[in-house]
């Protein structure tokens, strides 16, 4: 079986690491790690992906290398897909497969489902694929000095950096639009 846990509920308080300190035992609510809830959440994500794809289920099953009945049972939560099957179902549905499974694991099924077929999901896919190599390239040997407690602050800084970048692009577009309008207005044909 592919998933035997669910992150639909938080496993820790904000700012706390789920990695225990030396000599400390992690306290995790095992109720949120239930198989049936995980299967339901994953089935919902995959079902929504297939429905939003606009493609025939038989085509998706064939492309994902699944029997059509196995796909049907997976989408209604009667069968747990393997990791590869879930990735192939998402990819065959035209979704960013790695991004959505990582969102499913890290933020829960609702977040992964909300981001289906969005530019932010594509961005997240590219970010996740590029991030490990970028961290090693930029940090070098310092990559081993990174502390888990810095993750939340780093995530907020990245989001702020993106917001600033979008604002700057919008200002430039508006300025270029004004310049273009001024040059058209000043033309005498």
């Amino acid at each position: 079986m592919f998933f035997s846990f669910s992150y639909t509920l938080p496993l820790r308080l904000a700012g706390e690491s789920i990695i225990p300190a030396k000599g400390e035992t992690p306290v995790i609510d095992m109720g949120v790690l239930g198989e049936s809830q995980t299967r339901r959440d994953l089935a919902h994500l995959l079902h929504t992906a297939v429905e939003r794809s606009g493609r025939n289920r038989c085509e998706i099953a064939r492309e994902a290398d699944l029997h059509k009945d196995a796909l049907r049972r997976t989408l209604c939560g009667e069968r747990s897909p393997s990791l590869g099957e879930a990735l192939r179902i998402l990819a065959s549905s035209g979704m960013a497969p790695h991004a959505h499974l990582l969102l499913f694991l890290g933020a829960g099924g609702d977040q992964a489902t909300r981001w289906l077929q969005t530019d932010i999901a594509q961005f997240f896919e590219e970010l996740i694929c590029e991030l490990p190599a970028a961290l090693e390239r930029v940090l070098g040997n310092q990559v081993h000095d990174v502390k888990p407690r810095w993750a939340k602050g780093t995530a907020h800084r990245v989001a702020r950096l993106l917001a600033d970048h979008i604002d700057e692009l919008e200002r430039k577009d508006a300025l270029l639009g004004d310049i273009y309008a001024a040059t058209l207005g000043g033309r005498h044909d």
Side-chain angles (χ1 to χ4, degrees):
M1 283 204 189
F2 150 54
F3 290 116
S4 60
F5 47 87
S6 172
Y7 289 123
T8 56
L9 298 174
L11 296 177
R12 62 188 184 280
L13 298 174
E16 286 183 9
S17 174
I18 61 170
I19 300 169
K22 289 182 181 174
E24 195 176 294
T25 303
V27 178
I28 297 175
D29 178 8
M30 298 308 266
V32 301
L33 304 177
E35 178 67 28
S36 61
Q37 181 64 45
T38 300
R39 186 179 296 160
R40 275 193 305 273
D41 290 348
L42 183 58
H44 181 260
L45 172 65
L46 296 175
H47 182 269
T48 304
V50 168
E51 292 300 311
R52 289 189 188 172
S53 74
R55 296 187 68 202
N56 181 304
R57 285 186 182 195
C58 289
E59 292 172 357
I60 291 174
R62 185 174 40 257
E63 194 172 302
D65 196 27
L66 282 168
H67 188 276
K68 63 182 181 182
D69 188 56
L71 177 64
R72 181 195 59 76
R73 290 178 34 239
T74 297
L75 297 181
C76 69
E78 295 172 0
R79 175 184 177 274
S80 293
S82 69
L83 178 59
E85 289 171 343
L87 288 168
R88 290 192 309 271
I89 292 168
L90 288 167
S92 298
S93 300
M95 308 300 161
H98 297 97
H100 290 297
L101 281 186
L102 287 170
L103 281 167
F104 179 82
L105 291 172
D110 291 340
Q111 180 71 56
T113 303
R114 278 196 309 274
W115 279 13
L116 282 170
Q117 286 184 314
T118 63
D119 285 343
I120 190 69
Q122 275 301 129
F123 168 83
F124 190 69
E125 177 99 355
E126 296 291 327
L127 177 71
I128 293 306
C129 290
E130 182 62 29
L131 187 60
L135 288 171
E136 286 185 338
R137 187 174 50 253
V138 172
L139 294 175
N141 290 336
Q142 291 178 318
V143 76
H144 302 292
D145 297 333
V146 173
K147 306 292 183 227
R149 66 179 181 270
W150 298 343
K152 184 177 178 181
T154 301
H156 287 276
R157 288 186 74 172
V158 168
R160 183 76 251 151
L161 177 68
L162 282 171
D164 292 346
H165 182 65
I166 291 168
D167 290 345
E168 182 180 335
L169 289 175
E170 288 174 351
R171 281 192 300 275
K172 286 180 180 179
D173 283 348
L175 179 61
L176 289 174
D178 291 345
I179 291 171
Y180 183 69
T183 58
L184 286 180
R187 259 194 198 166
H188 300 286
D189 293 284

